[in-house]
Amino acid sequence: MAYDDSRFRGESVFRADPGYGTDDGGETPAYDATSAYPRSAYSYAGRGERTDGVSPPAYAPTDLDNVFDDPEHGEPGRDQLAVHLIWEAILLVAVAAVGYLLYRDHRETVTGDGLRGLMISATALGMLVLGVGLSLRAASVNLAVGPIALASGLYFADHAGRGALGTAGMAILLALAMGAAVAAVVVVLHVPSWAASFGGGLAVMVWIQQHHATPQLPAGTYRPLPDARYWFGAFVVISLAGGIVGSVKSVRRAVGRFRPVADPAYRRGSAAAAVSVAALVGSSVLAAGAGILTALAAGTVSPVDTSLTLTGLALGGALLAGTSAFGRRGGLLGIVAAATLLTVVIRYFDVTERRVAQLATAAVAIGVGLVVTRLVESYGRPRVAATSVDRWRSAPPAADPPAALEPWSSTRPTGWTSPLPASSTDDRWGGDETWTSR
């Protein structure tokens, strides 16, 4: 019997293979830095790496700060404002066109006391639009602004005889408490703000409908009409300042953190909850201010419930201004332009006796605003995120492996289903001989 037992004598079977080298004559194969299999040509994919051979897109040096944006809080990168600026220019042109029609046919409505009345009306409506716009940006829309504004005006007119300043402060505190109650429901239960705020608004409407008398402000109460330009100017400055601050990427992302990026039922964290509370409370306070200003300008408050109309105009104005219905995104001067446009359109319908209901005006504004939301979401996305996705999708297919890899990859087992290598006579003990007795 004869067989080759060299492989069992402690000798390495690779020593005779010229493809493997040793250092200092030792038994351990040495690593050759000039190997025919460089890491760039044959490597295993790590976590987050693609396995089709296509390298992920590289960021430009100017976009390196965007890699620190957490995708869990929205798309990384800076939102594009061009779509907002273009739309706001269109709104300003529309305001100028309606204003020209009023000046041409009804000049008294845009001159003297008529102009001052328009400024006060635009300021009061603008405060409502600003409140809804703030809550929309925080992805926590407040649909109770209409009832809160009307209830604040009624309360102020009822109790103004005890002191206008103190009564206004109490009305604002009540509105703040209402906003805090809605915010607590939204944040603690993590439920949609539109449902919670609408339910709270219905509760306020019950209180409004219990008033049947028309309260009158006492004589000598402050009238804002002579100071209309200051009221409107302050509204423009506050709205523009908010738009400029909101255009900063870090602020924009922080304000819109309550906006869902996956399942809307997932909680967005304590920071997002704090922003949502602030937005709901702030929008309620702005609504109270609008109701008080309206009561001061008119000298009385009608007990007719117009809460739904006020809410519809505020929501329509915020969407028309270019604020996204999904949250986070908004423009610079859109709130001022939209509130002014709605004010002059309503006044134009009144003086021309066209008998167009304000609810119809609100419905049209909401419809157009939803179209604007689609444009904002389509063309206002961060350019870095959009180009990265497009570059990834348009990457060329993986190239074939180098020729040097073919012998390795063609015989290397790849899993449990890989076939075993074919056996040869050298793999059997004794080769062609067999265990027989002679």
Side-chain angles (χ1 to χ4, degrees), residues 286-305:
L286 287 171
I292 295 171
L293 181 60
T294 302
L296 287 172
T300 183
V301 178
S302 174
V304 178
D305 191 354

Side-chain angles (χ1 to χ4, degrees), residues 261-424:
V261 294
D263 188 345
Y266 289 161
R267 295 183 182 273
R268 301 290 298 139
S270 58
V275 172
S276 178
V277 170
L280 289 170
V281 171
S283 60
S284 300
V285 171
L286 287 171
I292 295 171
L293 181 60
T294 302
L296 287 172
T300 183
V301 178
S302 174
V304 178
D305 191 354
T306 58
S307 303
L308 184 59
T309 301
L310 293 176
T311 299
L313 289 174
L315 179 60
L319 294 174
L320 195 64
T323 310
S324 174
F326 299 101
R328 175 176 172 175
R329 298 188 172 101
L332 300 179
L333 204 60
I335 296 293
V336 175
T340 305
L341 178 60
L342 289 176
T343 301
V344 295
V345 166
I346 292 173
R347 183 61 58 88
Y348 179 79
F349 288 153
D350 289 341
V351 297
T352 56
E353 299 181 355
R354 295 184 181 271
R355 297 183 179 180
V356 177
Q358 293 186 10
L359 279 175
T361 304
V364 173
I366 292 174
V368 176
L370 292 177
V371 176
V372 176
T373 287
R374 186 67 270 157
L375 294 175
V376 166
E377 290 294 330
S378 298
Y379 298 101
R381 294 176 55 205
R383 183 171 300 174
V384 173
T387 55
S388 298
V389 173
D390 295 340
R391 194 184 308 167
W392 186 280
R393 291 176 177 174
S394 61
D400 294 334
L405 299 181
E406 292 179 359
W408 188 335
S409 60
S410 60
T411 60
R412 185 173 178 266
T414 58
W416 289 100
T417 60
S418 299
L420 295 174
S423 61
S424 63

Side-chain angles (χ1 to χ4, degrees), residues 27-120:
E27 297 286 342
T28 305
Y31 174 77
D32 185 5
T34 62
S35 173
Y37 310 104
R39 186 180 186 278
S40 60
Y42 190 87
S43 61
Y44 296 99
R47 183 179 180 182
E49 297 181 5
R50 297 185 60 160
T51 59
D52 56 1
V54 180
S55 301
Y59 287 96
T62 57
D63 298 328
L64 289 179
D65 59 331
N66 297 324
V67 302
F68 297 101
D69 295 337
D70 190 349
E72 291 295 328
H73 303 311
E75 295 170 329
R78 185 185 301 277
D79 291 341
Q80 302 181 58
L81 295 179
V83 62
H84 295 283
L85 299 179
I86 294 174
W87 176 248
E88 290 168 6
I90 295 175
L91 289 178
L92 293 176
V93 171
V95 170
V98 180
Y100 170 75
L101 293 177
L102 287 173
Y103 183 82
R104 185 190 64 182
D105 301 329
H106 305 277
R107 186 168 302 183
E108 67 280 359
T109 61
V110 291
T111 57
D113 288 343
L115 179 60
R116 286 187 282 270
L118 276 177
M119 289 183 177
I120 293 296

